Amino acid sequence: MTGRPAIVLAVVLACQLMVGIDATIVNIALPEIQARLHFTQTGLAWVFNAYTLAFGGLLLLGGRAGDLLGRRRMFASGVLLFTAASLVGGLATHSWWLVAARALQGAGGAMASPNVLSLIMSAYEDGPRRTRALGVFAAVSSASLALGLLAGGVLTSAGSWRWVFFVNVPVGAAILALTPVFVRETDRHPGRFDLAGAVTATTGVAGLAYGVIRTATSGWGDPVTIAVFAAASLLLAGFTLIEARAEQPIMPLRLFADRRRAGAYVNTLLVPSTVFAVVYFLTRYLREGFGYGPVASGFAFLPMTVVLMGVVRLAGRLITRWDARPVMAAGIAFVTAALLWLSRLTGGSGYLTGVLGPLVLLGAGAGLTTVSLSVTALSGVRREDSGAGAGVFQTLQWTSWSLGLAVLVALYHAAAGGGGAESMARGTSSAFAGASVIAVLALLSTLAFVRGRARDGAADAPREAPDGRSLPPGRGSSPDAASRPASGRSAPP
């Protein structure tokens, strides 16, 4: 990195904001896209699904490729592909053209996004400065979902659906121009690429995504859906066996050895689905239940975004003083309270009485939770594993969004029954009640597994054996043996 970490952070987070916004900005424009490009209702879902499949399936690969080939190189390559695909998507004149562009956007995002995190980790040593940087990352990632709705509404209303794609072009071009000036290439870690792990991970995660996508139209009992889930499960089981034996795995299993980190991974699989559920179901409720337009729907989430950004500024200092566990528990408690409040929505609910309060609570809870999850999941990760660690963290986030949303959509349809505002309120209330159960499970996971203070990077640093070979922590001595003086006395602070 250069000596200007604030500029470096701004450059890489501009990419994260662009990729995050793209997850929701297109949703607002879907009715206009369907009318202009003559999508069927089933085919229209692939405008979102093509992005999801490519992004989720390639995240692990993108993260590990950054470790081996250079994180700046992979970051810039991903931004270039994402930007070019956005231009191609904005110029689309046929439905297949747009779906292909969305798949390329997902691939570019999967190359760039995990390397955003690993570049941040390379720029800052474990400690308060990294905690603050990860807090900004968490704020940008969480706020991008709501900002995407707002931007999509403004661009679609003021111009054309094509601008939800074209807007990425100048942003991507600016990132590409600034990256070689301010972002220095990280050390590469040469070795054999884990091809078998890459193939089984990509196909297994993509299969899981496709199975989740099918449940929306075919249900959980559909034979093809069951077969896809079974195949994905076998592939992911095979992937775990491959990683246990691989010399340089795409997902080092040692990442799961730390109890705190494993607990954070569990929560990363649970909590994001609840926040995404609010964005998904409440957007529909505001538009169809309250009759809000696209711009008003986007602005309705502004209180949540403002509170989230403010809380994130405090979260780092709270973690430094109290550690991540109580901050994470408090954040999840706020999220749970917001979901329980939203589960009381009825056909007669209004924005001020039934929505504003929960959004403020959710902003506070999401701000505390996402920062503490990021810090706990990424603390102590070896430098040569930082790309893989970021890939695992973001793959779990994506899996939470996809799988959790599929479960909650099933709850929605089971409770909604017929049509009408009251039916929609009943279904939405049921989905939020289900999301609150997921949040309670995350709170229990925090109390059970996330114990003890976070370790610094020395705990996971490779050690050197007497014969010069590199040894992982824990082989032949305790994990922190490398940082302990030979005399047995404690090292100075």
Side-chain angles (χ1 to χ4, degrees), residues 110-134:
M111 293 167 63
S113 192
N115 288 292
V116 168
L117 261 179
S118 56
L119 286 169
I120 293 173
M121 292 166 67
S122 297
Y124 300 94
E125 295 292 339
D126 270 340
R129 293 187 68 203
R130 180 187 280 187
T131 298
R132 287 194 294 271
L134 289 175

Side-chain angles (χ1 to χ4, degrees), residues 38-429:
H38 310 293
F39 274 95
T40 64
Q41 191 62 42
T42 303
L44 186 65
W46 282 98
V47 176
F48 179 76
N49 294 340
Y51 182 87
T52 300
L53 278 169
F55 185 75
L58 296 172
L59 268 171
L60 281 175
L61 184 59
R64 196 53 167 169
D67 289 334
L68 298 178
L69 304 176
R71 291 164 194 145
R72 189 185 73 174
R73 174 182 292 184
M74 289 302 297
F75 170 79
S77 299
V79 172
L80 178 60
L81 179 58
F82 187 93
T83 304
S86 298
L87 178 61
V88 171
L91 296 172
T93 56
H94 297 87
S95 57
W96 62 264
W97 181 339
L98 183 59
V99 170
R102 288 288 285 165
L104 289 174
Q105 277 187 310
M111 293 167 63
S113 192
N115 288 292
V116 168
L117 261 179
S118 56
L119 286 169
I120 293 173
M121 292 166 67
S122 297
Y124 300 94
E125 295 292 339
D126 270 340
R129 293 187 68 203
R130 180 187 280 187
T131 298
R132 287 194 294 271
L134 289 175
V136 178
F137 168 83
V140 168
S141 298
S142 299
S144 64
L145 298 176
L147 290 175
L149 297 173
L150 177 59
V154 171
L155 291 171
T156 302
S157 299
S160 163
W161 66 267
R162 298 183 184 277
W163 281 102
V164 303
F165 296 99
F166 288 150
V167 70
N168 294 326
V169 177
V171 177
I175 295 171
L176 288 170
L178 294 172
T179 295
V181 177
F182 294 105
V183 182
R184 189 187 308 154
E185 183 60 279
T186 58
D187 293 336
R188 302 179 193 177
H189 303 280
R192 296 177 58 187
F193 195 75
D194 180 18
L195 183 59
V199 171
T200 51
T202 300
T203 54
V205 174
L208 179 64
Y210 180 69
V212 169
I213 289 166
R214 278 192 64 89
T215 62
T217 54
S218 303
W220 292 90
D222 174 60
V224 175
T225 302
I226 294 173
V228 169
F229 276 130
S233 299
L234 289 173
L235 285 166
L236 292 175
F239 167 66
T240 304
L241 294 175
I242 290 169
E243 298 307 279
R245 300 181 179 183
E247 184 177 339
Q248 289 183 308
I250 192 173
M251 186 185 75
L253 296 184
R254 58 180 170 266
L255 291 171
F256 297 85
D258 182 88
R259 179 172 178 164
R260 285 176 59 92
R261 190 182 301 132
Y265 283 161
V266 171
N267 284 355
T268 305
L269 194 59
L270 295 172
V271 177
S273 67
T274 64
V275 178
F276 191 69
V278 173
V279 174
Y280 178 83
F281 288 107
L282 202 53
T283 299
R284 290 189 59 190
Y285 195 77
L286 290 171
R287 295 206 65 178
E288 299 177 35
F290 287 3
Y292 284 12
V295 177
S297 298
F299 272 105
F301 285 92
L302 196 57
M304 180 188 79
T305 305
V306 171
V307 171
L308 188 152
M309 299 292 284
V311 168
V312 160
R313 294 177 63 87
L314 299 174
R317 278 177 278 179
L318 293 175
I319 290 171
T320 300
R321 181 171 182 179
W322 301 106
D323 192 42
R325 186 193 188 203
V327 176
M328 189 184 302
I332 296 174
F334 279 128
V335 171
T336 306
L339 292 166
L340 288 172
W341 192 342
L342 286 171
S343 71
R344 298 174 61 84
L345 279 174
T346 66
S349 297
Y351 178 80
L352 292 178
T353 57
V355 175
L356 179 60
L359 285 180
V360 171
L361 277 176
L362 188 72
L368 294 174
T369 306
T370 51
V371 177
S372 53
L373 278 178
S374 300
V375 170
T376 307
L378 298 172
S379 291
V381 175
R382 299 179 180 190
R383 284 190 178 274
E384 65 267 29
D385 290 340
S386 61
V392 171
F393 180 67
Q394 291 185 302
T395 297
L396 290 172
Q397 281 184 319
W398 164 86
T399 303
S400 177
W401 294 339
S402 300
L403 191 57
L405 186 61
V407 172
L408 296 175
V409 165
L411 287 176
Y412 173 91
H413 287 297
E422 192 60 45
S423 175
M424 172 174 283
R426 190 165 56 246
T428 303
S429 173

